[in-house]
Amino acid sequence: DTSRQTKNLNKLLIRILLHLQVEFSYYILDVIVDYYTSSGCLDVQPDEEGYINIDQDEIVNYIVKEAKKDGMGPYDPNDVFFVVQGEMEYGNSLGQVD
């Protein structure tokens, strides 16, 4: 019975961790959109090749600050950077961001 209880506890722990991971990612993606709309970075004139420079470190700092203000986290900036970088790479794959 102890082995069965351990397996059930492990399954529950995995579900909780997956839920937290999804919640973390959705929150960060939501704050990234807030950054884009409030920072003015999208209002800048594109360069000669049509690109806008977006500083990922600045986005990470914004997210960490907002998370603290919202009572979320604290988040490790390295973990946040991973999500920001992933969002940028996804945008690149769609031709939205470069």
Side-chain angles (χ1 to χ4, degrees), residues 52-98:
I52 295 172
N53 184 27
I54 297 177
D55 184 346
Q56 292 181 8
D57 290 326
E58 194 173 304
I59 297 172
V60 169
N61 292 336
Y62 178 82
I63 292 168
V64 169
K65 182 187 81 168
E66 290 298 306
K68 186 175 182 179
K69 187 170 77 175
D70 293 342
M72 301 288 288
Y75 293 142
D76 182 324
N78 293 322
D79 294 337
V80 173
F81 185 81
F82 178 74
V83 177
V84 170
Q85 188 176 39
E87 188 275 337
M88 289 275 197
E89 289 174 7
Y90 179 70
N92 288 343
S93 75
L94 298 177
Q96 296 176 342
V97 178
D98 198 25

Side-chain angles (χ1 to χ4, degrees), residues 2-83:
T2 304
S3 175
R4 189 170 161 194
Q5 289 174 339
T6 301
K7 286 181 183 177
N8 287 338
L9 187 57
N10 284 338
K11 286 180 184 179
L12 178 61
L13 182 58
I14 289 170
R15 285 186 194 154
I16 291 170
L17 290 174
L18 288 173
H19 174 75
L20 290 174
Q21 182 180 16
V22 168
E23 184 178 315
F24 169 79
S25 296
Y26 281 139
Y27 173 78
I28 290 177
L29 291 173
D30 196 37
V31 178
I32 289 171
V33 171
D34 287 345
Y35 174 83
Y36 287 152
T37 58
S38 67
S39 71
C41 71
L42 300 179
D43 298 328
V44 175
Q45 289 294 325
D47 64 16
E48 303 88 37
E49 297 176 5
Y51 295 108
I52 295 172
N53 184 27
I54 297 177
D55 184 346
Q56 292 181 8
D57 290 326
E58 194 173 304
I59 297 172
V60 169
N61 292 336
Y62 178 82
I63 292 168
V64 169
K65 182 187 81 168
E66 290 298 306
K68 186 175 182 179
K69 187 170 77 175
D70 293 342
M72 301 288 288
Y75 293 142
D76 182 324
N78 293 322
D79 294 337
V80 173
F81 185 81
F82 178 74
V83 177

